Amino acid sequence: MKLTTFLTQNMQIMLIAGTETPYLTLEWSMSLLLNNPNTMEMISNEISTHIGFDRLLQENDLGKLGYLQNVINESLRLYPTLPLLLPHEASEDITVGGYSVPRGTMLMVNAWAIQRDPVLWDEPNKFMPERFDKIADQDRYKMLAFGVGRRGCPGVNLGYRILGLALGTLIQAFEWEKKIGIEEVDMTAFYGLSMAKLKPLQVLCKPCSNMITHIL
């Protein structure tokens, strides 16, 4: 394979992976927040306390917004954009959970199932961002939205920054509410290579009065 072809293919993969996954996660996050308005208010209060409304949220502010990060993690736990991680291959004969896995076997990791496993998580189907307030190092293997270890996504830090900036700015700069007549946002998923909402999110918003000058 020519070097130019190799580089072109890798750039295409990075562009696709770096655009689809963030917007899907943002849609799931906003849907969860609209169904849990108290949680959205807590994020707004956190932004008000640590940043205020005299300027827009910046990347170097993200370290102050722990609850916002919890919400992103909980959204990724409940609705990972890649419910099945990229295929792996067993490098040697091994036994896992009583099953014999010969060398060369193609392995698929079900991140969605692991992240909703009641053995690993309390009330696994419930939206509880505060569960990430105290997550131990050994628990990081329960969260597989970006993979883990040597084969983990190289863009994990960039992904968290993009999600934090985008979601935080949307909450800081706009007031959000469900469409008239809708009590709950439909959280039905469409399962494919990536996991999107079956019904795209439709929502009402208006600029916050104290942020209009910064938005325009």
Side-chain angles (χ1 to χ4, degrees):
M1 180 184 295
K2 293 183 178 180
L3 178 61
T4 53
T5 303
F6 174 79
L7 292 174
T8 300
Q9 291 179 349
N10 275 272
M11 289 176 64
Q12 289 175 339
I13 293 171
M14 292 174 65
L15 286 171
I16 294 172
T19 53
E20 183 182 37
T21 52
Y23 87 72
L24 288 178
T25 302
L26 281 175
E27 188 176 28
W28 284 117
S29 299
M30 287 300 300
S31 299
L32 287 165
L33 290 173
L34 287 163
N35 285 340
N36 297 271
N38 290 337
T39 302
M40 186 179 294
E41 184 177 356
M42 290 178 68
I43 296 177
S44 181
N45 291 338
E46 183 178 60
I47 294 173
S48 176
T49 300
H50 296 289
I51 298 163
F53 297 94
D54 296 329
R55 60 179 177 84
L56 287 173
L57 174 68
Q58 301 294 322
E59 182 181 349
N60 56 9
D61 296 318
L62 295 177
K64 309 171 188 175
L65 305 177
Y67 194 72
L68 172 64
Q69 188 62 65
N70 288 352
V71 168
I72 293 172
N73 278 324
E74 183 70 340
S75 300
L76 287 167
R77 184 187 72 82
L78 287 169
Y79 299 98
T81 52
L82 294 177
L84 294 177
L85 301 185
L86 296 178
H88 291 65
E89 182 178 304
S91 58
E92 59 185 30
D93 296 340
I94 191 172
T95 300
V96 180
Y99 292 92
S100 176
V101 181
R103 177 182 178 181
T105 301
M106 188 67 69
L107 304 172
M108 303 292 291
V109 178
N110 190 335
W112 184 93
I114 293 172
Q115 293 177 177
R116 288 177 179 254
D117 189 338
V119 175
L120 302 176
W121 304 91
D122 295 329
E123 299 184 80
N125 295 318
K126 186 176 181 180
F127 180 61
M128 295 170 53
E130 57 274 10
R131 74 171 79 239
F132 287 95
D133 282 338
K134 296 179 180 179
I135 185 165
D137 287 342
Q138 63 268 23
D139 293 335
R140 68 183 184 275
Y141 294 106
K142 301 189 300 186
M143 272 291 292
L144 300 173
F146 288 95
V148 70
R150 293 186 304 164
R151 305 304 182 201
C153 175
V156 56
N157 291 326
L158 177 62
Y160 274 116
R161 283 174 171 80
I162 291 174
L163 291 169
L165 276 173
L167 185 60
T169 302
L170 288 174
I171 295 173
Q172 180 191 31
F174 296 92
E175 297 177 8
W176 301 87
E177 61 182 42
K178 297 185 286 289
K179 291 180 65 177
I180 297 173
I182 296 180
E183 295 185 3
E184 289 284 321
V185 175
D186 189 339
M187 301 300 289
T188 305
F190 174 79
Y191 296 95
L193 182 61
S194 57
M195 187 168 69
K197 284 174 60 64
L198 183 62
K199 296 181 179 179
L201 177 63
Q202 295 183 351
V203 65
L204 302 175
C205 72
K206 64 179 180 180
C208 296
S209 57
N210 52 2
M211 292 296 296
I212 291 179
T213 56
H214 302 292
I215 299 172
L216 299 178

